[in-house]
């Protein structure tokens, strides 16, 4: 079977969860990357059976999550983490949650993955602190790149950095039609972030596709009342 890493699951309402279920139903092994501040409640809920109903697969069995990794996709590596975040008690209890460290952990645990799913969006804190513009677009592009893409893929300035390469065959992310049309209310830099994501997807599909035979796609999903959607008042 295939092994999938889905980044961006912290409850059972979002696209990441639904994609994980589809992959599990198709026989894939499921690894999850969960935003550090949401990790505790997600793991506790999982353990206490709060998601059991939504874990049911078409054959009646329950989706198994093989391992949950703490992740903050805003930070590439430990050098990028500011002191206040390091000291924050929601972060201090976990380790190895920068993108590179998470990739290294997955590599150590499992060697390779076949499928990377990028289902990252804004966290509620980022919205309320007005940071959304600064932080979101960065997540989209750099995450896949650092996590999996071969250093030849793109862009040149990342090559000088230490990068763990997990072997991978395919990646998908989630985009939205507001990248190309005005969707009232889809604000806060999200529409431009999605336009960038689609552009990055084309570039990476070309570069990584030609050089490494990696498929890179983004799915333009319909509106869904997820936590992320509610956080931007959408
Ligand atoms: P969601 O809240 O279920 O998923 C977003 C996840 O990203 C959350 O689990 C959150 O904790 C996590 N996250 C936020 N910041 C992070 C960080 N720095 N590091 C690691 N994880 C972080 O919401 P969703 O709507 O399912 O979003 C998934 C994807 O689908 C997003 O890219 C979103 O833009 C896209 N999308 C959503 C809609 C919609 O209407 N909900 C429509 C089209 C596309």
């Amino acid at each position: 079977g295939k092994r999938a890493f889905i980044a961006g699951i912290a409850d059972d309402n979002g696209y990441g969860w639904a994609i994980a279920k589809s992959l599990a139903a198709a026989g894939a092994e499921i690894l999850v990357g969960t935003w550090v501040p949401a990790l505790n409640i997600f793991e506790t809920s999982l353990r206490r059976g709060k998601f059991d109903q939504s874990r049911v697969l078409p054959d009646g069995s329950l989706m198994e999550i093989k391992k949950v990794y703490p992740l903050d996709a805003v930070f590439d590596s430990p050098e990028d983490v500011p002191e206040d975040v390091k000291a924050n008690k929601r972060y201090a209890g976990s380790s190895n949650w920068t993108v590179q460290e998470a990739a290294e952990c997955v590599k150590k645990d499992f060697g390779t993955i076949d499928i990377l799913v990028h289902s990252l969006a804004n966290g509620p804190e980022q919205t309320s602190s007005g940071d959304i513009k600064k932080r979101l677009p960065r997540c989209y592009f750099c995450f896949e790149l650092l996590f999996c893409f071969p250093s030849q893929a793109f862009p040149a300035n990342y090559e000088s950095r230490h990068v763990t390469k997990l072997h991978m065959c395919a990646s998908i992310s989630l985009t939205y039609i507001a990248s190309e049309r005005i969707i009232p209310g889809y604000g806060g830099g999200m529409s431009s972030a999605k336009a960038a994501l689609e552009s990055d997807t084309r570039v990476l599909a070309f570069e990584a596709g030609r050089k490494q035979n990696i498929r890179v796609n983004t799915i333009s999903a319909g509106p869904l009342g997820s936590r992320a959607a509610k956080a931007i008042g959408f």
Side-chain angles (χ1 to χ4, degrees):
K2 307 262 189 218
R3 182 178 302 119
F5 183 94
I6 299 109
I9 298 183
D11 58 37
D12 58 351
N13 293 321
Y15 278 118
W17 179 271
I19 292 168
K21 273 180 76 175
S22 296
L23 289 169
E29 185 171 66
I30 305 300
L31 311 178
V32 165
T34 299
W35 194 41
V36 188
L39 183 72
N40 210 356
I41 181 145
F42 179 64
E43 287 195 304
T44 306
S45 304
L46 205 54
R47 206 170 44 238
R48 292 194 181 152
K50 206 186 144 212
F51 301 134
D52 280 0
Q53 253 180 338
S54 33
R55 281 168 63 209
V56 178
L57 299 175
D59 70 357
S61 68
L62 296 190
M63 169 171 72
E64 287 300 331
I65 297 178
K66 184 93 184 178
K67 189 158 178 181
V68 179
Y69 292 85
L71 175 73
D72 194 324
V74 166
F75 305 109
D76 294 352
S77 56
E79 308 89 83
D80 302 320
V81 183
E83 287 307 321
D84 63 319
V85 176
K86 264 183 218 159
N88 185 321
K89 66 175 191 311
R90 298 166 85 193
Y91 282 82
S94 302
S95 53
N96 296 326
W97 41 259
T98 65
V99 176
Q100 287 187 0
E101 291 170 296
E104 272 159 27
C105 290
V106 175
K107 191 171 187 174
K108 205 164 76 203
D109 293 344
F110 296 97
T112 62
I113 57 170
D114 301 293
I115 302 162
L116 176 68
V117 181
H118 175 307
S119 188
L120 301 166
N122 55 302
E125 283 78 2
Q126 291 163 24
T127 314
S128 58
S129 69
D131 253 1
I132 191 169
K133 267 191 188 151
K134 236 178 14 207
R135 304 184 76 172
L136 265 179
R138 229 195 123 276
C139 286
Y140 288 129
F141 187 30
C142 296
F143 174 69
E144 291 176 339
L145 202 67
L146 282 175
F147 204 81
C148 285
F149 282 97
S151 47
Q152 306 96 295
F154 207 69
N157 57 326
Y158 268 88
E159 287 185 29
S160 59
R161 304 187 65 147
H162 162 78
V163 176
T164 296
K165 292 308 167 198
L166 276 166
H167 178 70
M168 180 192 53
C169 305
S171 95
I172 58 165
S173 62
L174 280 302
T175 188
Y176 186 54
I177 186 73
S179 60
E180 25 182 313
R181 286 188 216 158
I182 296 163
I183 308 290
Y186 196 76
M190 286 296 292
S191 57
S192 40
K194 291 305 189 195
L197 174 67
E198 290 173 22
S199 169
D200 295 339
T201 302
R202 284 189 287 270
V203 172
L204 286 171
F206 177 83
E207 298 285 349
R210 296 273 161 116
K211 289 172 188 156
Q212 306 280 328
N213 218 18
I214 297 174
R215 278 174 292 132
V216 187
N217 285 287
T218 186
I219 297 170
S220 192
L224 171 75
S226 64
R227 190 178 174 134
K230 287 175 188 145
I232 59 168
F234 192 59

